Amino acid sequence: MIQEIGQHMLSTEFAKPKPKATDFVLLFEHTDVFLLPETGTLPTYRDWCALGGLDELLVHMLEVDGIQFFTVLDLPEDIRSQLKKDVSRCLRTAQPRWLRLAAVTGLHLYQWFQTHRFCGVCGAPMRPDAKELAMRCTNEDCHSVTYPTVCPAVIVGVRNGDRILLTRSSVYKNPVYALVSGYMSVGETMEETVHREVLEETGLKIKNLQYYGNQPWGFSGAQMIGYWAELDGSDKITLQEDELKEAGWFTPDEIPPAYEEDPLDLTHYMIEQFRARRLPGQMQA
Ligand SMILES: [Zn+2]
């Protein structure tokens, strides 16, 4: 999964390091990422300097084993035009694994910076703070401070005997099979979110919730929290059609082929665990 980077350590602790040639300058635009056109790789500080980039534009975001990652909130057009833009999904295959996690975490922070350019209290511009990872209002009389946000969301693997509930989203054009999932509402416990999402999306009731694991998912600024649950009562599915195009029960042998050999996301990791019959109570085929 995306967070598995072995012995490497990622930190978003606030720091003001002096950039080194081998540090990275992660450049984004909305949900897209800029790459070097010749190699298709992420630009380093050496590349940033060669492109004519200035130190004063760099905003520090994070670090992995002493390698620093910066971003730029206002990318000059003359540098932008020298780079190749790709969808951030291309980061799914970035190597090594620690660089992939750093880039996706950088995307999460970049998007947070970009959506907090103006103060929600007084409307004045906000700037990255000089002492902590935060955005601070530039209005002397306001000085509102806001910190990076993470949105918690649940993933639910619903089991019914030897079958699992798989869904396909109606939001995407070519959705892969997934599990029921959804964001927590304000005032809910995670378990309440699990019950509510399953009921809303499929009309099913569940019991015996078991927490399974969680992961950061910077592509959407989320923290994904996985649960297993058992069907409670009728297995008749009533689809919530504005969210799902399909939902059904699958035995391990009926699950459609995996779309990634080594799933990055918890949803597909959980589906693969079920397919391989590695969960408690599953009989080996
Ligand atoms: Zn303000």
Side-chain angles (χ1 to χ4, degrees):
M1 286 185 281
I2 195 162
Q3 72 274 21
E4 292 167 338
I5 57 171
Q7 297 303 307
H8 301 283
M9 290 283 288
L10 182 149
S11 167
T12 55
E13 193 78 24
F14 180 80
K16 286 198 274 187
K18 198 172 152 33
K20 306 180 297 296
T22 50
D23 289 341
F24 285 87
V25 179
L26 301 176
L27 302 170
F28 302 104
E29 186 171 78
H30 305 296
T31 57
D32 295 332
V33 59
F34 287 103
L35 305 171
L36 297 172
E38 312 82 45
T39 54
T41 54
L42 294 163
T44 61
Y45 176 66
R46 185 187 288 122
D47 301 318
W48 171 252
C49 294
L51 290 162
L54 301 174
D55 280 10
E56 66 206 44
L57 292 176
L58 299 178
V59 177
H60 181 253
M61 294 194 292
L62 59 116
E63 178 221 318
V64 177
D65 305 340
I67 298 170
Q68 308 298 336
F69 291 79
F70 300 87
T71 193
V72 173
L73 301 185
D74 293 297
L75 185 60
E77 182 51 39
D78 61 316
I79 295 180
R80 188 186 177 283
S81 62
Q82 298 177 65
L83 296 164
K84 184 183 99 173
K85 195 162 79 165
D86 203 345
V87 291
S88 58
R89 199 169 52 243
C90 75
L91 297 174
R92 287 186 86 108
T93 52
Q95 289 294 339
R97 298 170 76 107
W98 59 264
L99 180 58
R100 175 170 67 196
L101 178 65
V104 176
T105 307
L107 172 66
H108 180 165
L109 283 169
Y110 169 83
Q111 292 192 311
W112 173 79
F113 276 124
Q114 284 297 4
T115 52
H116 292 79
R117 302 293 299 270
F118 294 93
C119 178
V121 178
C122 75
M126 306 269 281
R127 284 218 193 93
D129 189 67
K131 292 191 177 136
E132 49 189 353
L133 186 58
M135 288 290 264
R136 184 176 288 272
C137 179
T138 52
N139 174 356
E140 294 279 313
D141 299 326
C142 176
H143 275 318
S144 174
V145 181
T146 181
Y147 297 92
T149 41
V150 179
C151 300
V154 300
I155 298 166
V156 199
V158 181
R159 291 171 63 182
N160 175 21
D162 65 344
R163 294 180 299 164
I164 187 173
L165 177 68
L166 296 186
T167 65
R168 288 214 302 158
S169 167
S170 57
V171 178
Y172 305 106
K173 211 167 155 207
N174 293 307
V176 292
Y177 280 94
L179 301 174
V180 169
S181 65
Y183 287 102
M184 276 179 85
S185 293
V186 174
E188 270 183 337
T189 65
M190 289 192 282
E191 290 75 18
E192 285 167 345
T193 311
V194 168
H195 282 283
R196 176 178 56 75
E197 285 292 341
V198 174
L199 188 65
E200 277 178 9
E201 292 190 9
T202 63
L204 297 169
K205 292 204 170 124
I206 51 170
K207 62 182 180 184
N208 298 338
L209 272 55
Q210 286 277 327
Y211 168 74
Y212 185 65
N214 75 98
Q215 70 173 169
W217 195 248
F219 289 105
S220 53
Q223 191 74 16
M224 307 306 296
I225 303 150
Y227 279 83
W228 288 105
E230 286 172 35
L231 178 70
D232 185 14
S234 167
D235 66 356
K236 188 174 175 302
I237 294 165
T238 310
L239 270 194
Q240 184 186 23
E241 284 173 7
D242 53 349
E243 289 212 10
L244 296 184
K245 96 169 25 157
E246 191 183 336
W249 297 103
F250 295 77
T251 65
D253 298 328
E254 291 166 348
I255 297 175
Y259 79 105
E260 270 176 341
E261 215 173 281
D262 176 18
L264 280 195
D265 57 279
L266 183 57
T267 295
H268 290 92
Y269 183 82
M270 288 172 70
I271 293 173
E272 291 312 309
Q273 293 297 303
F274 184 85
R275 186 207 299 279
R277 297 182 164 86
R278 290 199 193 104
L279 298 171
Q282 279 190 300
M283 304 284 271
Q284 287 299 320

